Amino acid sequence: MRPEDLHNILEELIAYPAETEWIEFKLGAGSITNDQIGEYISAMSNGATIKNKTFGYLVWGVHDKTHEIKGTNFQFSTAKQGNQDLELWVRNLLHPKINFAIFEFDYQGKNMVLLRIPAAKGEPAHFKKIPYIRIGSNKTDLRNHPNFVRLIYNSLEDWSAGIIETATLNDLDEEAVHVAREKFKERSTRASYYNEIDSWEPEKFLDKAKITINGKITNTAILLLGKEESSHYLLPALSEITWKLETEEKAYEHFGTPLLLNTTKVLQNIRNVKYKFFPDNELLATTVNKYDTRTILEALHNCIAHQDYSMHSRIIVTEKIDKLIFSNAGSFFEGNPDDYSIGDKTPERYRNPWLAQAMVNLGMIDRLGYGIHTMFLSQKNRYFPLPDYELSEPQKVVLQIYGHAIDENYSKLLIENKDLPLSSVVLLDRIQKKLPVTDEAIKMLKQRKLIEGRKPNYFIAAQVATTTDDKVTYIRNRAFDKEYYKAMILGFIKQYKEAARSDIDNLLIDKLSDVLTAEQKRNKIRNLLYEMSKKDGTIFNASSSTANPVWMLSKNADFKIRKDRDLDKE
């Protein structure tokens, strides 16, 4: 491998915010024992599989906390275990054999050692008969995590391409096969065989569409086109979508095979009413559908394509008053959702390759990974919050699609600035949802005068509020400075002679910024009282109790009140 390639790999690895299941950093010789090297090779190999990475990496010469490149005095190629070469000793104790590669190179005048470790396939990587995995910051026995063990054993198997020897064409739904042929024709208009598609026998069409294999029925064929009573062929895997209504009304319904047809039935169950926005500078309301039909089907089809069917779970669509929640079993397979939001990433692999290929051929999903990008654009163009995966778990992907505004300023901004880049909208969406945003992104948004506030309480800037005429919301977010609140406290105590903490809370809570939580508001009031009593000397605690103080005015307070009154007259 060329030095520049190694430099690129190293720079990519240290750019991660922390070590992961497939990245481990060490410093010099002695920072890790020979046994631990073997254990980490096992852990990085298994972790790479679980995180759908081609390789794991063990690197010497990088500080594990700061990721600063320090260089190392360790040399793997000359290291020994007793009288034996370390490399040979480690390789002999790994099972199955792992063809890890050793790279010792110079980076900006510093010696570096990098092990590139292939992901485990079909069987966990063991060292001294124990498989390891990194969980958080700890390396532990993989056998304590049976879900991860199962993922590794299934890593070479494409469940969706499995042949069902006892199934025949009679187990497929005629209408579903007809619709599939029409969808395949729509995707094949430029193919040389386009004019022949209608004359093909079902066996030829299904093979050509990569639904069956050499005329044999696959799990994919039953899942997409199977009769309802044919779903037993897939057991213990579930071929079912459950729709749940969780609003003022409660309802649910299960939809099984053929999923090619039944995703439309799920769609028809969802209540898709009109939603109105009221821009202040326009005479007419802007009306959109609560949900975009294409977005719903895109979400459903993604669930089908990426479901981990070995987990024997159903796909669930939950309809709430203000959002739809889609959940499917299995981790996000290739990268993470943010990688696909802007539309410049193409997935290299699928969890169910045969199923994914069939769904591409039937126009159900996009081969290039534009599905998430399409959903983001649809929400942006309809002025709604963007889809997010914030509720996802390690073995469950959860997508939320919003059918209601969260922050009206955000929606009004999109209505009046339709050319705002999607990358900026993604960041503003995270701001309105109170989700983390990088310091670099915050700096950019502030430079463009799109947001104001201090970490972590950011909100739409005054310029935007002026554009949208939403000054009331802006003022409620910004609130006032400390002197305003101090003057209110002094005025209250002057009128009523004394004030308990509960009196002051009742006085100020509703007047503090809406971006603060209830606890943050109480802390702010506590800090104000501390400053007024200890620094300003305008109030003092007349009670002997610090837990239940009684605040009264000091001599300095009279001077402060008179001074403020004189300034008001001027």
Side-chain angles (χ1 to χ4, degrees):
M1 190 179 295
R2 299 178 305 170
E4 52 266 38
D5 295 330
L6 291 168
H7 293 177
N8 289 337
I9 291 174
L10 178 61
E11 289 165 0
E12 289 176 8
L13 296 178
I14 64 175
Y16 280 84
E19 294 174 312
T20 71
E21 291 87 345
W22 54 284
I23 302 174
E24 181 71 27
F25 296 126
K26 297 298 176 186
L27 284 173
S31 62
I32 181 174
T33 67
N34 289 348
D35 275 299
Q36 288 172 330
I37 290 173
E39 293 168 4
Y40 272 114
I41 292 174
S42 165
M44 297 300 102
S45 179
N46 294 326
T49 301
I50 289 166
K51 290 310 219 180
N52 303 303
K53 299 295 180 181
T54 306
F55 298 103
Y57 296 90
L58 176 56
V59 184
W60 281 265
V62 178
H63 191 284
D64 63 344
K65 302 299 182 186
T66 65
H67 293 192
E68 181 182 356
I69 295 176
K70 298 281 194 179
T72 184
N73 61 350
F74 176 69
Q75 283 188 301
F76 197 97
S77 58
T78 60
K80 299 286 186 179
Q81 171 65 26
N83 294 323
Q84 190 176 12
D85 287 344
L86 175 62
E87 178 183 352
L88 180 61
W89 179 78
V90 169
R91 290 188 188 277
N92 286 337
L93 292 171
L94 289 168
H95 176 81
K97 299 303 181 184
I98 300 176
N99 189 26
F100 63 86
I102 305 168
F103 300 98
E104 297 178 344
F105 59 98
D106 178 90
Y107 181 87
Q108 297 181 357
K110 296 181 175 66
N111 295 321
M112 306 297 299
V113 176
L114 180 148
L115 301 191
R116 188 182 66 181
I117 305 159
K121 290 299 176 188
E123 180 181 357
H126 295 66
F127 179 73
K128 290 188 174 181
K129 300 182 179 181
I130 298 175
Y132 290 91
I133 187 67
R134 182 190 175 112
I135 304 293
S137 60
N138 299 314
K139 171 169 52 64
T140 186
D141 192 328
L142 175 65
R143 293 171 296 185
N144 296 328
H145 303 273
N147 284 342
F148 291 153
V149 173
R150 176 187 49 74
L151 283 174
I152 294 172
Y153 275 112
N154 291 337
S155 60
L156 281 181
E157 178 184 352
D158 180 5
W159 173 89
S160 66
I163 300 294
I164 306 172
E165 295 290 350
T166 55
T168 69
L169 288 179
N170 291 330
D171 292 300
L172 303 185
D173 183 277
E174 289 186 12
E175 181 185 357
V177 173
H178 172 74
V179 171
R181 192 189 294 258
E182 293 302 312
K183 296 293 184 183
F184 182 74
K185 281 181 63 179
E186 292 175 10
R187 297 282 295 185
S188 307
T189 53
R190 297 184 180 181
S192 60
Y193 51 74
Y194 174 74
N195 293 325
E196 305 170 15
I197 295 176
D198 287 335
S199 61
W200 286 344
E201 292 296 322
E203 293 88 345
K204 182 174 182 178
F205 153 64
L206 292 169
D207 270 3
K208 201 74 174 179
K210 299 190 183 303
I211 296 171
T212 57
I213 298 176
N214 296 327
K216 293 184 179 293
I217 303 299
T218 62
N219 288 330
T220 289
I222 296 296
L223 194 69
L224 297 181
L225 309 180
K227 295 176 180 177
E228 183 179 1
E229 58 270 24
S230 300
S231 62
H232 68 87
Y233 285 114
L234 303 178
L235 292 174
L238 292 180
S239 52
E240 192 170 81
I241 301 173
T242 295
W243 165 80
K244 296 195 303 181
L245 180 65
E246 292 186 354
T247 61
E248 68 282 356
E249 299 176 292
K250 305 293 181 185
Y252 71 92
E253 189 170 352
H254 302 301
F255 299 88
T257 55
L259 293 183
L260 175 65
L261 303 182
N262 284 343
T263 52
T264 301
K265 295 180 180 179
V266 176
L267 171 68
Q268 292 168 347
N269 264 30
I270 294 171
R271 302 183 296 182
N272 198 2
V273 298
K274 298 291 183 182
Y275 190 93
K276 291 185 178 182
F277 294 99
F278 295 90
D280 295 320
N281 60 350
E282 296 182 16
L283 294 177
L284 299 176
T286 298
T287 303
V288 296
N289 284 334
K290 189 173 184 180
Y291 302 110
D292 174 53
T293 297
R294 182 179 177 184
T295 297
I296 295 174
L297 289 176
E298 188 75 46
L300 277 170
H301 293 161
N302 280 344
C303 287
I304 295 169
H306 303 300
Q307 169 92 332
D308 185 345
Y309 292 93
S310 69
M311 295 183 72
H312 311 155
S313 299
R314 58 171 55 89
I315 294 165
I316 299 176
V317 180
T318 304
E319 180 180 351
K320 294 184 176 289
I321 292 175
D322 58 347
K323 70 180 73 170
L324 296 173
I325 303 175
F326 300 80
S327 69
N328 66 271
S331 61
F332 203 88
F333 192 73
E334 174 80 17
N336 62 72
D338 290 342
D339 295 336
Y340 297 89
S341 61
I342 305 301
D344 56 4
K345 179 177 174 62
T346 300
E348 298 178 2
R349 298 178 296 165
Y350 293 94
R351 173 175 282 116
N352 305 298
W354 192 257
L355 172 60
Q357 180 63 64
M359 295 180 72
V360 168
N361 291 340
L362 301 183
M364 298 176 73
I365 63 172
D366 193 298
R367 183 197 304 271
L368 296 178
Y370 290 145
I372 292 177
H373 176 63
T374 300
M375 290 190 290
F376 272 60
L377 282 180
S378 172
Q379 291 293 96
K380 169 186 178 291
N381 294 337
R382 293 165 53 256
Y383 324 119
F384 281 116
L386 301 182
D388 68 55
Y389 293 81
E390 295 302 317
L391 298 181
S392 294
E393 302 172 5
Q395 293 304 314
K396 182 168 69 174
V397 175
V398 180
L399 167 65
Q400 299 184 97
I401 296 178
Y402 295 80
H404 193 280
I406 295 176
D407 181 349
E408 290 187 3
N409 282 350
Y410 164 89
S411 299
K412 290 176 181 179
L413 173 62
L414 298 191
I415 291 172
E416 295 166 12
N417 296 271
K418 294 181 174 62
D419 59 347
L420 198 64
L422 179 58
S423 56
S424 295
V425 177
V426 168
L427 295 174
L428 290 171
D429 180 67
R430 294 187 68 83
I431 293 293
Q432 73 166 343
K433 293 174 182 173
K434 311 300 182 189
L435 298 174
V437 178
T438 64
D439 292 341
E440 183 180 356
I442 290 296
K443 181 179 179 180
M444 182 273 292
L445 292 174
K446 285 197 168 187
Q447 286 175 343
R448 297 182 183 180
K449 300 182 178 179
L450 292 172
I451 64 170
E452 283 190 0
R454 292 184 177 180
K455 189 176 183 178
N457 299 312
Y458 299 109
F459 51 89
I460 294 175
Q463 289 83 350
V464 176
T466 301
T467 300
T468 61
D469 260 351
D470 197 2
K471 298 183 181 67
V472 172
T473 299
Y474 171 67
I475 291 299
R476 287 182 62 82
N477 278 330
R478 187 196 66 186
F480 304 96
D481 60 23
K482 288 192 294 186
E483 296 307 314
Y484 171 82
Y485 299 121
K486 289 179 180 179
M488 290 188 68
I489 294 171
L490 293 176
F492 182 92
I493 299 176
K494 182 174 178 64
Q495 180 174 352
Y496 296 103
K497 308 303 181 186
E498 62 182 36
R501 172 61 194 265
S502 59
D503 295 325
I504 296 174
D505 284 349
N506 291 335
L507 175 70
L508 297 184
I509 286 290
D510 291 339
K511 297 174 179 61
L512 290 169
S513 169
D514 280 359
V515 301
L516 299 178
T517 65
E519 183 178 358
Q520 288 172 327
K521 289 182 178 183
R522 288 192 293 271
N523 288 340
K524 186 175 182 66
I525 294 172
R526 185 188 67 239
N527 292 337
L528 282 170
L529 293 172
Y530 176 86
E531 190 169 312
M532 292 173 72
S533 61
K534 301 298 183 183
K535 295 182 180 180
D536 301 345
T538 54
I539 61 174
F540 68 95
N541 181 11
S543 168
S544 58
S545 170
T546 56
N548 298 292
V550 176
W551 297 105
M552 298 182 70
L553 297 180
S554 66
K555 293 180 180 180
N556 288 341
D558 288 332
F559 172 76
K560 171 73 174 170
I561 293 171
R562 287 197 304 273
K563 181 179 178 182
D564 290 343
R565 188 183 300 124
D566 292 341
L567 287 173
D568 288 341
K569 288 179 181 179
E570 294 176 6

